Amino acid sequence: MFFKHGLMARFVINSTVGRNKMILREKLAWSLLFTLSMVYLFSSRHPILQDNENKYIKKEMNIPIFHGGSPLAPAGSLLGSCWCGSDNYCMCNPSLAIDLVLIEKDENEELYVWLVRRSDTNQLATMGGFVNVGETTENAVSRELMEEMKIAFEGSPTLLGLYSDPTRDKRRHTASAVYHARIKSGMVPYAGDDAKDVVRLKLEDVTKKDPSEFFADHYTILADYIHSHAQFSTTLNKSSTSTTYASSDGSAIRSLCNI
């Protein structure tokens, strides 16, 4: 009798141990399957994350849906600035930047433009940078001018135009509010922040250079400024007064540039 009970007890123990091992293996298998599924779903190659209208993701898996783009874009795709609200509504937008065409007129009435030489690409560029959260584009101009050229800017810059071609900057999709302003003759900026050097270039010599010497679309920006300045000068010469030039809001230049 004792032998019979011992066999039964051993059978029960072995069965319990076997069942526990099987349950453990099942749990490990399900965990592995879940992990692999998540890796697959979050892969940039999986089209389901690019489908912002997929309600299954939004409702069943509670994955944030990005509107206007994706932070998981495949290599070579355009990137932007992405953020998510507390309600899982997410946006990817072009990064907002500013650029400034900084002009100097010397004692001989010659016009010069002050540029920076970038430390990363060694290309010429207008002074500029990205706009901080809570900052106006005009405030960003003043801040960047101090950071890159160590100039304390007084007054308000004049808007030249908004440059938003998605391919203008190879790094990411940017939109730049471009301004222009003048500094006093004899004022010498010097490089700060991420600028390698500052360069003083005769304005009329800009278009004689190879566009590849300039960063992003800055050659186009400068060419547009030269064109608008030529139109503006012609308008002044035909005008009987110079009151238009004294307009502080830059409306004359904006109308000439159709902006």
Side-chain angles (χ1 to χ4, degrees):
M1 178 67 71
F2 175 78
F3 177 74
K4 183 177 180 181
H5 284 294
L7 286 175
M8 291 182 63
R10 185 179 301 175
F11 175 76
V12 171
I13 292 173
N14 289 339
S15 298
T16 303
V17 171
R19 189 162 51 250
N20 289 339
K21 286 183 178 180
M22 184 174 65
I23 293 173
L24 180 60
R25 283 196 298 267
E26 287 181 353
K27 287 183 178 180
L28 289 173
W30 280 111
S31 298
L32 180 60
L33 180 62
F34 177 78
T35 302
L36 291 175
S37 299
M38 291 298 100
V39 171
Y40 179 59
L41 282 173
F42 281 95
S43 169
S44 61
R45 296 181 179 86
H46 197 279
I48 202 169
L49 287 181
Q50 307 300 326
D51 182 7
N52 288 341
E53 302 303 324
N54 196 308
K55 296 180 180 180
Y56 175 77
I57 293 179
K58 186 175 182 180
K59 293 183 178 180
E60 302 298 328
M61 301 191 68
N62 199 31
I63 296 177
I65 305 302
F66 283 87
H67 301 267
S70 171
L72 301 175
S77 300
L78 289 172
L79 299 176
S81 298
C82 300
W83 57 272
C84 289
S86 57
D87 58 353
N88 265 356
Y89 187 92
C90 306
M91 289 287 293
C92 286
N93 306 105
S95 302
L96 180 61
I98 57 91
D99 285 286
L100 179 67
V101 179
L102 194 60
I103 300 297
E104 176 194 350
K105 180 185 285 188
D106 69 6
E107 61 276 6
N108 298 318
E109 300 296 305
E110 292 282 358
L111 291 178
Y112 293 84
V113 59
W114 282 96
L115 305 171
V116 297
R117 187 172 295 281
R118 294 178 62 93
S119 57
D120 54 353
T121 65
N122 204 41
Q123 291 173 297
L124 294 172
T126 57
M127 190 289 306
F130 291 105
V131 180
N132 291 336
V133 173
E135 184 178 51
T136 66
T137 52
E138 291 84 0
N139 290 153
V141 168
S142 299
R143 175 181 54 77
E144 287 288 347
L145 195 54
M146 174 57 72
E147 290 177 0
E148 290 197 5
M149 290 187 166
K150 303 302 180 183
I151 293 177
F153 184 70
E154 297 179 358
S156 299
T158 303
L159 182 67
L160 174 64
L162 182 65
Y163 291 72
S164 59
D165 185 337
T167 62
R168 66 182 298 270
D169 191 333
K170 294 180 180 179
R171 300 169 300 173
R172 58 177 58 241
H173 184 182
T174 65
S176 182
V178 180
Y179 294 87
H180 64 89
R182 289 188 181 181
I183 60 173
K184 296 178 181 178
S185 179
M187 183 178 290
V188 181
Y190 61 95
D193 198 20
D194 56 354
K196 180 179 179 180
D197 195 10
V198 292
V199 179
R200 183 176 182 256
L201 186 64
K202 204 168 184 178
L203 191 61
E204 64 182 28
D205 290 341
V206 169
T207 53
K208 298 176 184 178
K209 287 187 168 292
D210 190 318
S212 64
E213 294 185 48
F214 294 84
F215 178 73
D217 61 350
H218 294 194
Y219 178 88
T220 300
I221 289 172
L222 292 169
D224 286 350
Y225 173 78
I226 293 170
H227 179 67
S228 66
H229 182 266
Q231 284 186 307
F232 190 52
S233 298
T234 301
T235 303
L236 286 179
N237 291 335
K238 291 181 179 179
S239 176
S240 58
T241 66
S242 59
T243 53
T244 307
Y245 184 76
S247 177
S248 61
D249 65 357
S251 58
I253 289 180
R254 280 198 290 273
S255 63
L256 286 168
C257 297
N258 296 318
I259 54 176

